């Protein structure tokens, strides 16, 4: 069985983090806690590791994983441009439950799957995740569950679904909310003729909060309708 480290115990935390760093360096997979749900992580710049992540979840290349980063400096290195409205979003909601899709930096040599030249980026609000990201660099991270199953809100949930396809499990107790991040598409803000930000998945940051920052730049909610 792959080891599960209780990161609430300082000794296990130190050992678990060391083994997690080593596993990422060898192209293996790690389950880690985030502020939303547990994630399954791989080195974003190791195509074989990313393929291993997708296979562990039962997903294809048409569903590329988001990338977690330790801060906005790394975001700037991964995307072609950070438009001013995205700067405002990052200032308000990072670290936190907002994933932002932007055109990726053309010079990067990586393969996350069928991204169509984009990358989905988030900075998590969790000490363990951030500490690991500081040491490994950007990680491709998807929710730690089999495709079609509920996201794992505890390390044991993830282990029950993913088993030995993961090298190391970092357990920090139940997720604070169990609500996945909100995903927004801001690609049209970079060179687009009709700039608008679309919500691809509702989650931890709601549309009211987004509209408070973006105003009319946020696409109207299709569920909203004018009263007669």
């Amino acid at each position: 069985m792959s080891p599960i480290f209780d990161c609430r115990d300082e000794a296990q935390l130190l050992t678990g983090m060391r083994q997690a760093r080593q596993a990422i360096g060898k192209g293996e997979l790690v389950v880690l806690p985030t502020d939303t749900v547990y994630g399954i992580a791989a080195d974003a710049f190791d195509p074989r590791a990313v393929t291993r992540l997708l296979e562990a979840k039962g997903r294809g290349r048409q569903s590329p994983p988001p990338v977690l980063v330790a801060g906005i400096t790394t975001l700037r290195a991964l995307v072609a441009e950070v438009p001013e409205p995205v700067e405002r979003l990052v200032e308000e909601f990072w670290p936190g439950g907002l994933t932002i899709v932007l055109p990726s930096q053309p010079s990067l040599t990586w393969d996350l799957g069928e991204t169509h030249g984009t990358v989905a980026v988030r900075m998590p609000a969790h000490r363990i995740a951030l500490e690991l990201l500081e040491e490994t660099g950007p990680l491709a991270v998807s929710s730690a569950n089999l495709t079609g199953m509920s996201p794992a809100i505890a390390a044991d949930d993830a282990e029950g679904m993913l088993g030995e396809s993961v090298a190391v499990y970092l357990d920090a107790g139940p997720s604070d909310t169990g609500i996945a991040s909100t995903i927004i598409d801001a690609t049209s803000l970079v060179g687009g003729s009709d700039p608008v930000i679309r919500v691809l998945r509702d989650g931890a940051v709601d549309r009211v909060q987004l509209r408070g920052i973006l105003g009319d730049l946020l696409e109207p909610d299709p569920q909203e309708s004018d009263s007669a």
Side-chain angles (χ1 to χ4, degrees), residues 55 65 72 101 145 161 169 173 180 182-183:
E55 290 175 347
I72 190 168
V101 179
N145 58 280
M161 288 184 274
Y169 290 84
T182 297
I183 302 177

Side-chain angles (χ1 to χ4, degrees), residues 36-37 97 143 151 177-182 201-205:
T36 55
V37 296
S143 56
T177 66
I179 301 172
S181 69
T182 297
R201 180 180 76 189
D202 288 296
V205 177

